[in-house]
Amino acid sequence: MNKIEHIGIAVNSLEAAGNIYQKLLSTAIYKIEEVASEGVKTAFLQNGPNKIELLEATNPDSPIAKFITKKGEGIHHIAFDVDDIHAEMARLKAEGFVLLNEEPKKGADNKLVCFVHPKSANGVLVELCQEIV
Ligand code: ZN
């Protein structure tokens, strides 16, 4: 498990939140990408070695829509960079963590991703991500 790759923030409006975070971090959004399979539209901002991922739901069944209904806007997940996502998934499974997907999925920003259930990590949704090369 390497550095925190990004922090995901659930937002109602990518445009409104994008304006706020561009001002906050004094940097421009470098990528907007829709992940249709997850029902989300994402915007990324680089901040030093880390990134902020803003997530807006694209349909009412999206996990982001459900999250905002339950908890409101705010921090949704913490993503860690990994070198070998398959190895990390096997390691975490062996340690008793509950993974939300059995196989890595194609996520935003050119990554293979896997999520760890928040119940396994003290209420925090953890994302593993490996850069696709
Ligand atoms: Zn993420």
Side-chain angles (χ1 to χ4, degrees), residues 5-8 44 53 55 76-79 108 113 115 127 129:
E5 211 279 336
H6 64 271
I7 294 176
F44 284 90
E53 175 185 35
L55 303 125
H76 178 259
H77 65 268
I78 298 180
V113 305
F115 286 92
E127 177 183 0
C129 58

Side-chain angles (χ1 to χ4, degrees), residues 3-47:
K3 66 170 184 174
I4 291 177
E5 211 279 336
H6 64 271
I7 294 176
I9 299 174
V11 304
N12 283 319
S13 159
L14 215 53
E15 198 187 341
N19 285 333
I20 290 167
Y21 276 84
Q22 290 186 103
K23 277 186 215 157
L24 179 75
L25 301 172
S26 188
T27 190
I29 288 169
Y30 69 88
K31 183 189 273 188
I32 291 183
E33 186 180 349
E34 189 169 337
V35 184
S37 58
E38 298 291 309
V40 295
K41 205 164 122 188
T42 64
F44 284 90
L45 300 104
Q46 185 79 40
N47 179 236

Side-chain angles (χ1 to χ4, degrees), residues 66-97:
K66 289 178 182 159
F67 177 88
I68 289 177
T69 301
K70 244 166 105 177
K71 300 193 171 170
E73 291 184 292
I75 293 181
H76 178 259
H77 65 268
I78 298 180
F80 293 92
D81 177 60
V82 299
D83 295 324
D84 181 343
I85 196 166
H86 289 94
E88 281 298 329
M89 287 170 69
R91 183 181 71 81
L92 293 177
K93 245 176 136 170
E95 294 279 10
F97 289 90

Side-chain angles (χ1 to χ4, degrees), residues 86-133:
H86 289 94
E88 281 298 329
M89 287 170 69
R91 183 181 71 81
L92 293 177
K93 245 176 136 170
E95 294 279 10
F97 289 90
V98 177
L99 305 181
L100 290 180
N101 41 298
E102 286 296 312
E103 288 296 321
K105 295 195 283 191
K106 173 92 175 62
D109 205 27
N110 196 42
K111 300 278 193 290
L112 282 176
V113 305
C114 174
F115 286 92
V116 178
H117 198 293
K119 279 184 186 151
S120 293
N122 301 78
V124 176
L125 177 62
V126 172
E127 177 183 0
L128 310 177
C129 58
Q130 179 189 338
E131 184 93 29
I132 298 169
V133 285

